[in-house]
PDB file of all heavy atoms in Angstrom:
ATOM      1  N   MET A   1     132.625 102.008  83.945  1.00 78.00           N
ATOM      2  CA  MET A   1     133.621 102.895  84.615  1.00 78.00           C
ATOM      3  C   MET A   1     134.180 102.247  85.862  1.00 78.00           C
ATOM      4  O   MET A   1     135.197 102.663  86.345  1.00 78.00           O
ATOM      5  CB  MET A   1     132.864 104.159  85.001  1.00 78.00           C
ATOM      6  CG  MET A   1     133.750 105.165  85.696  1.00 78.00           C
ATOM      7  SD  MET A   1     133.099 106.753  86.189  1.00 78.00           S
ATOM      8  CE  MET A   1     131.676 107.020  85.173  1.00 78.00           C
ATOM      9  N   PHE A   2     133.550 101.214  86.309  1.00 85.00           N
ATOM     10  CA  PHE A   2     133.963 100.545  87.526  1.00 85.00           C
ATOM     11  C   PHE A   2     134.635  99.237  87.263  1.00 85.00           C
ATOM     12  O   PHE A   2     134.632  98.383  88.162  1.00 85.00           O
ATOM     13  CB  PHE A   2     132.794 100.374  88.523  1.00 85.00           C
ATOM     14  CG  PHE A   2     132.128 101.645  88.838  1.00 85.00           C
ATOM     15  CD1 PHE A   2     130.892 102.015  88.283  1.00 85.00           C
ATOM     16  CD2 PHE A   2     132.736 102.532  89.756  1.00 85.00           C
ATOM     17  CE1 PHE A   2     130.296 103.242  88.616  1.00 85.00           C
ATOM     18  CE2 PHE A   2     132.184 103.743  90.098  1.00 85.00           C
ATOM     19  CZ  PHE A   2     130.951 104.133  89.500  1.00 85.00           C
ATOM     20  N   THR A   3     135.228  99.118  86.092  1.00 89.00           N
ATOM     21  CA  THR A   3     135.884  97.848  85.765  1.00 89.00           C
ATOM     22  C   THR A   3     137.405  98.054  85.480  1.00 89.00           C
ATOM     23  O   THR A   3     137.773  99.216  85.191  1.00 89.00           O
ATOM     24  CB  THR A   3     135.328  97.215  84.488  1.00 89.00           C
ATOM     25  OG1 THR A   3     135.557  98.087  83.405  1.00 89.00           O
ATOM     26  CG2 THR A   3     133.822  96.979  84.648  1.00 89.00           C
ATOM     27  N   THR A   4     138.160  97.060  85.682  1.00 91.00           N
ATOM     28  CA  THR A   4     139.604  97.125  85.395  1.00 91.00           C
ATOM     29  C   THR A   4     139.793  97.360  83.886  1.00 91.00           C
ATOM     30  O   THR A   4     140.743  98.145  83.523  1.00 91.00           O
ATOM     31  CB  THR A   4     140.269  95.771  85.725  1.00 91.00           C
ATOM     32  OG1 THR A   4     140.000  95.519  87.150  1.00 91.00           O
ATOM     33  CG2 THR A   4     141.759  95.841  85.487  1.00 91.00           C
ATOM     34  N   GLU A   5     138.992  96.813  83.049  1.00 90.00           N
ATOM     35  CA  GLU A   5     139.106  97.014  81.617  1.00 90.00           C
ATOM     36  C   GLU A   5     138.973  98.505  81.250  1.00 90.00           C
ATOM     37  O   GLU A   5     139.734  99.020  80.420  1.00 90.00           O
ATOM     38  CB  GLU A   5     138.075  96.215  80.867  1.00 90.00           C
ATOM     39  CG  GLU A   5     138.176  96.234  79.374  1.00 90.00           C
ATOM     40  CD  GLU A   5     137.166  95.383  78.668  1.00 90.00           C
ATOM     41  OE1 GLU A   5     136.302  94.761  79.371  1.00 90.00           O
ATOM     42  OE2 GLU A   5     137.154  95.332  77.378  1.00 90.00           O
ATOM     43  N   PHE A   6     138.021  99.202  81.899  1.00 90.00           N
ATOM     44  CA  PHE A   6     137.843 100.650  81.675  1.00 90.00           C
ATOM     45  C   PHE A   6     139.066 101.426  81.998  1.00 90.00           C
ATOM     46  O   PHE A   6     139.576 102.254  81.212  1.00 90.00           O
ATOM     47  CB  PHE A   6     136.633 101.181  82.445  1.00 90.00           C
ATOM     48  CG  PHE A   6     136.552 102.644  82.442  1.00 90.00           C
ATOM     49  CD1 PHE A   6     135.923 103.303  81.369  1.00 90.00           C
ATOM     50  CD2 PHE A   6     137.059 103.405  83.460  1.00 90.00           C
ATOM     51  CE1 PHE A   6     135.793 104.676  81.315  1.00 90.00           C
ATOM     52  CE2 PHE A   6     136.986 104.814  83.441  1.00 90.00           C
ATOM     53  CZ  PHE A   6     136.404 105.477  82.374  1.00 90.00           C
ATOM     54  N   TRP A   7     139.643 101.134  83.162  1.00 93.00           N
ATOM     55  CA  TRP A   7     140.864 101.883  83.597  1.00 93.00           C
ATOM     56  C   TRP A   7     142.093 101.578  82.792  1.00 93.00           C
ATOM     57  O   TRP A   7     142.910 102.415  82.605  1.00 93.00           O
ATOM     58  CB  TRP A   7     141.041 101.726  85.137  1.00 93.00           C
ATOM     59  CG  TRP A   7     139.985 102.462  85.861  1.00 93.00           C
ATOM     60  CD1 TRP A   7     138.910 101.955  86.556  1.00 93.00           C
ATOM     61  CD2 TRP A   7     139.866 103.845  85.918  1.00 93.00           C
ATOM     62  NE1 TRP A   7     138.123 102.926  87.020  1.00 93.00           N
ATOM     63  CE2 TRP A   7     138.688 104.154  86.705  1.00 93.00           C
ATOM     64  CE3 TRP A   7     140.633 104.957  85.442  1.00 93.00           C
ATOM     65  CZ2 TRP A   7     138.255 105.450  87.016  1.00 93.00           C
ATOM     66  CZ3 TRP A   7     140.217 106.213  85.750  1.00 93.00           C
ATOM     67  CH2 TRP A   7     139.044 106.507  86.542  1.00 93.00           C
ATOM     68  N   ARG A   8     142.184 100.323  82.353  1.00 93.00           N
ATOM     69  CA  ARG A   8     143.288 100.044  81.417  1.00 93.00           C
ATOM     70  C   ARG A   8     143.178 100.744  80.105  1.00 93.00           C
ATOM     71  O   ARG A   8     144.224 101.319  79.646  1.00 93.00           O
ATOM     72  CB  ARG A   8     143.319  98.496  81.131  1.00 93.00           C
ATOM     73  CG  ARG A   8     143.890  97.693  82.244  1.00 93.00           C
ATOM     74  CD  ARG A   8     144.018  96.221  81.838  1.00 93.00           C
ATOM     75  NE  ARG A   8     144.415  95.476  82.992  1.00 93.00           N
ATOM     76  CZ  ARG A   8     144.252  94.186  83.136  1.00 93.00           C
ATOM     77  NH1 ARG A   8     143.672  93.511  82.145  1.00 93.00           N
ATOM     78  NH2 ARG A   8     144.717  93.559  84.151  1.00 93.00           N
ATOM     79  N   VAL A  85     132.558  99.338  78.025  1.00 48.00           N
ATOM     80  CA  VAL A  85     133.479  99.226  79.175  1.00 48.00           C
ATOM     81  C   VAL A  85     132.821  99.759  80.442  1.00 48.00           C
ATOM     82  O   VAL A  85     131.839 100.449  80.356  1.00 48.00           O
ATOM     83  CB  VAL A  85     134.842  99.941  78.895  1.00 48.00           C
ATOM     84  CG1 VAL A  85     135.608  99.192  77.878  1.00 48.00           C
ATOM     85  CG2 VAL A  85     134.593 101.404  78.580  1.00 48.00           C
TER      86      VAL A  85
END
Side-chain angles (χ1 to χ4, degrees):
M1 178 179 339
F2 301 106
T3 65
T4 303
E5 185 179 1
F6 170 82
W7 287 107
R8 283 185 185 158
V85 289

